[in-house]
Amino acid sequence: MFDCAPTMPPMTLMQSAAFEAALRACNHKPVRLSCDTLMLRRTVAGVPFAMLPRATLSDPARTLSLARKITGAPILVSPVQPADLSVHGALPVISPAQQAVMSLNANPDVMRANLHGKWRNRLKHAEKAGLRVRHHPMPRRTDHWLLQADAAQQRARRYRNWPVPLTLGFAATTPRAAIMFEAFCGADPVAALLILRHGDTATYHIGHTTTAGRAASAHTLLMWTAMCWCARHGHHWLDLGLIDTRHAVGLARFKLGTGADVM
């Protein structure tokens, strides 16, 4: 446990040993470079390429050199921090994105004080709504209602998340690495979220709320429960993922309402 903000930066999920193990469980063959960067290899429309996802490039020249020794294919680099890699022959493809990252504290009173006012009010509303909350390791079932609801949401909103086998592989290969939080109104689940754990960091992976859950602010209660649980179990950071203040204003506001910082 700890009483002050951590000094080490958050660990990225896509460079973690747990993510590597999940990939191997799905018959992928990632490569761990000698600089400890994880490299993925893909083929799209018959064209091979390599990926360095969410890589920490403390020495870009060395990392890229090691990658080029293994693959002659183009390399897609997405560094954790924006970096000018043009001197290494790189061309920019997209502009930097923003993500919400929260520094956790073992004292829940400190975290509660950092909540934005409207977020705190929704939490109070949820706490009075008579919801029953539970958490447990993620069931290894493709038919779990959260996974099905997330798949339907992806189709409706035309975006892509992890394939279900990869999420299940993450849960299967690293004990208690995937923790699900669920809220019930009576016997019916009204909200759920899935947290993936990797080192001193936890990552908000997927979540869904029903109409009844939204009326009771259930997702707010689950996020708060997850924040406190992660802090108690030794995590320093909660990565809430990318934020889009243009096309997903409500979700961005929800994430930032936790007191998370923008990176």
Side-chain angles (χ1 to χ4, degrees):
M1 295 299 181
F2 51 91
D3 297 316
C4 59
T7 56
M8 295 297 292
M11 177 184 294
T12 62
L13 173 62
M14 297 183 74
Q15 286 293 323
S16 67
F19 180 64
E20 180 181 358
L23 288 171
R24 296 190 187 281
C26 294
N27 296 318
H28 294 291
K29 297 179 180 179
V31 176
R32 183 69 71 173
L33 304 179
S34 60
C35 62
D36 204 34
T37 299
L38 189 67
M39 184 176 75
L40 283 58
R41 290 182 283 193
R42 297 286 185 270
T43 300
V44 176
V47 179
F49 66 96
M51 300 170 60
L52 302 179
R54 301 294 306 280
T56 300
L57 299 179
S58 54
D59 187 347
R62 177 170 179 252
T63 301
L64 293 173
S65 176
L66 291 170
R68 285 167 175 153
K69 289 179 180 178
I70 295 175
T71 179
I75 303 172
L76 183 63
V77 184
S78 55
V80 172
Q81 297 291 341
D84 181 7
L85 302 178
S86 59
V87 67
H88 304 291
L91 298 174
V93 178
I94 60 173
S95 58
Q98 293 181 315
Q99 72 178 117
V101 178
M102 177 179 217
S103 175
L104 299 172
N105 194 293
N107 186 342
D109 292 336
V110 173
M111 291 199 294
R112 196 168 186 119
N114 288 333
L115 300 175
H116 289 204
K118 291 183 178 180
W119 209 98
R120 191 184 302 112
N121 288 338
R122 288 196 297 272
L123 176 59
K124 292 178 181 177
H125 173 247
E127 290 172 333
K128 297 176 181 178
L131 298 171
R132 178 171 58 90
V133 175
R134 70 170 186 170
H135 66 271
H136 51 87
M138 178 186 175
R140 300 171 193 174
R141 292 169 32 205
T142 58
D143 63 345
H144 190 279
W145 78 267
L146 175 59
L147 297 179
Q148 292 186 332
D150 182 61
Q153 184 170 276
Q154 290 182 54
R155 290 191 296 269
R157 299 182 182 180
R158 298 183 179 181
Y159 71 92
R160 295 182 64 185
N161 206 337
W162 283 16
V164 169
L166 183 57
T167 298
L168 295 178
F170 195 98
T173 53
T174 304
R176 296 184 62 81
I179 303 295
M180 183 174 292
F181 296 80
E182 292 183 276
F184 295 83
C185 183
D188 299 324
V190 295
L193 62 84
L194 181 62
I195 296 291
L196 304 183
R197 308 170 67 196
H198 45 105
D200 66 354
T201 306
T203 293
Y204 171 60
H205 186 47
I206 55 176
H208 186 78
T209 308
T210 67
T211 301
R214 283 189 289 273
S217 302
H219 205 63
T220 302
L221 180 60
L222 288 185
M223 180 61 75
W224 171 251
T225 303
M227 288 161 53
C228 295
W229 188 92
C230 289
R232 288 198 308 271
H233 286 77
H235 296 292
H236 296 172
W237 302 98
L238 181 58
D239 185 344
L240 299 179
L242 299 180
I243 57 173
D244 184 345
T245 55
R246 292 184 58 191
H247 303 103
V249 178
L251 182 57
R253 188 181 296 119
F254 174 80
K255 292 179 177 181
L256 295 178
T258 62
D261 294 318
V262 177
M263 295 180 61

